[in-house]
Amino acid sequence: MIKKSLVWQLYPWFGLIIVFSVLFMGWYASGWIRDLYIQTTTSKIELNAKLAAQQIQPVIIQSPADIDSVVKQIASSSSNRITVMLPDGQVVADSDEDPVGMENHANRPEMQLALKGQVGTAIRYSSTLGKDLVYAAFPIRQDSNIIAVVRVATPLADIRSTLRGIFFHIALFGVIMMIVTVVLSYIVVRRISKPLARMEKAAKLLADGKFDTQIPVPATSELKALAHTLNAMSRNLSSRVDAITSQRNELEAVLSSMIEGVLVVDGEEKVVSINKAAADMFGIEADKAAGQVVQATIWNSELQQLIKSVLAEQKSMEREIVIYPGTKRYIVAHGTPLSRNDGVGAVIVLNDITRLKQLEDLRKDFVANVSHELKTPITSIKGFVETLKEGAVNDPETASRFLEIISRQANRLTAIIDDLLSLSKIEQEAENRQIILETINVADIVKNVIAACSPKAQEKNMTIRVWGGENTSAHINAQLLEQALINLVDNAIKYSDPGREIEIRFESMPDQVKIQVVDHGYGIASEHLDRIFERFYVADKARSRKLGGTGLGLAIVKHIVNAHGGKINLKSDLGKGSTFTITLPNSK
């Protein structure tokens, strides 16, 4: 079978399509232009008819005898023919002919449409002038009656003459375009056939194996070899690219979703890859770090030393490092050697243990504080019990005094345990969202607080004053908020001299309710303000122990406020007093 060249398979079809397209476009454009031109001419003479009717109306009403001379005068300034006819078809004026000798126009189509109140148009042969005309007729009214019809006409020959000129230019342009496109198409087809041979060679170089063909082999000699090559290349490259893409996407998804930082470096300590978590740890941009040496990107000597050691010794290592991208953070870095096609490398996995460190420190502090606070009363109780056992019990006065101390220390021990249990319960209920909140009047809570704290205040001759509206409400747990306010008022009584005044203020604002407990007592030094709400933290340990404080009261207050979604602030001046401000979300 004779194999046809690609040029001679495509070029004849291209030529036929181009010739047909140009002929069709020329035919379609000619018809469209002709219709558009006639439509435009018709619209123009319709407008002329309307304008002529406006000029002729007063003449035909006031002086009908002058109508013919007026029509000839109006038509003298244009190339259009103007005719005026009565409703019965009689011609009373004409710009080109004597109206007396003209036949009746009642049967003209444009005349009939105008008598119906419409603008009548028509294209037909004029027996009077002996040529084709385009007509437009417009009715002239007096009140609501049609008294005459004005008709404007223009020769169709003028339109055809104009259109012939347009059609000639379209045909000339079409022939030129046809010749140009046919030549260009031949050049394009020739240019397509030559690169295909080069594409065959390139495709063979891209394909690494020999496979059965799946692409249908065309009859063209140039594409036959290319089809075989593309079959092999598509199977081989597709499988490899899909596998590589899948592996890369999976790796990127895993790395980006990890909370651990991952850093990959090559044998020259250049960053090959770094995930978002690691970049965030060191405050750098992952895209900019790739390809840079570690020393120029991550300024942490401990991490740099770990990378050097892993690369040098080719074994896994682990080290705890500290970084300062803003706040102090503790990181456990685990380095593992990595075998690469271009040599060795290392993978560093970074685990942020800052939170664990903080929790461990809190646990140590808590255990130490609890041990100390529990050990003090227990040691005291044990000492006095041993003294009593050694004989002091036989002295009634001494025994009574010792037993009073033992009772006081036991009460202190009970208070510490009760506060610890209360604090644990509040934390657990807040974490599990078990605290029930209701819209309650704050004034009622304050009344209960005053009733509970008044006996202690009266013992020190102190007054508790209340400032606030009776209708102030908030979304709260009444029992917990009452406990928080009792703790604050009780502290104000303990740490104020006798005769002082304590104020409880509360007010409702657009988005929150504010409650304040104000005292004029000893106050708190500024260095203690940041830690005053911590468990067992006491600003004046001697005075607190003397007054029976546990060091947990303000911690309980803070946890209650947090459980309500609120905030607590403290302002205090040493020797002048303290103001505790609680803000809670408004029930509205």
Side-chain angles (χ1 to χ4, degrees), residues 412-576:
R412 172 174 168 76
L413 188 61
T414 301
I416 292 174
I417 294 173
D418 288 343
D419 283 349
L420 284 173
L421 292 174
S422 177
L423 188 59
S424 176
K425 181 181 178 182
I426 293 170
E427 287 179 337
Q428 185 175 3
E429 289 181 349
E431 183 178 348
N432 297 330
R433 301 182 182 275
Q434 295 176 345
I435 296 178
I436 300 175
L437 303 179
E438 300 176 318
T439 301
I440 298 176
N441 196 329
V442 176
D444 295 337
I445 304 296
V446 173
K447 290 177 183 177
N448 295 337
V449 172
I450 294 174
C453 297
S454 289
K456 287 187 179 180
Q458 291 172 2
E459 289 177 4
K460 296 182 70 174
N461 194 28
M462 299 176 71
T463 303
I464 302 176
R465 295 189 179 275
V466 179
W467 307 89
E470 288 293 329
N471 297 322
T472 302
S473 60
H475 202 54
I476 57 175
N477 182 290
Q479 182 179 356
L480 291 180
L481 183 61
E482 183 176 324
Q483 181 181 352
L485 292 178
I486 288 175
N487 285 3
L488 293 177
V489 175
D490 186 64
N491 276 358
I493 295 172
K494 287 179 181 178
Y495 298 101
S496 296
D497 290 329
R500 295 285 186 175
E501 185 179 90
I502 298 171
E503 299 177 38
I504 302 177
R505 305 171 182 170
F506 55 92
E507 62 176 322
S508 178
M509 292 182 286
D511 56 350
Q512 61 186 13
V513 172
K514 183 167 72 174
I515 305 173
Q516 290 182 314
V517 176
V518 183
D519 67 61
H520 304 280
Y522 308 136
I524 303 171
S526 58
E527 63 266 21
H528 299 297
L529 295 181
D530 291 339
R531 300 188 60 191
I532 197 67
F533 291 103
E534 295 180 8
R535 302 175 190 183
F536 296 111
Y537 188 85
V538 178
D540 189 341
K541 295 183 179 180
R543 181 176 287 162
S544 176
R545 204 168 275 122
K546 178 181 177 181
L547 296 173
T550 64
L552 293 170
L554 291 180
I556 291 174
V557 172
K558 183 176 181 180
H559 279 78
I560 290 174
V561 173
N562 289 342
H564 283 78
K567 296 181 181 178
I568 182 168
N569 295 313
L570 168 62
K571 291 184 179 180
S572 184
D573 294 318
L574 194 62
K576 294 183 180 180

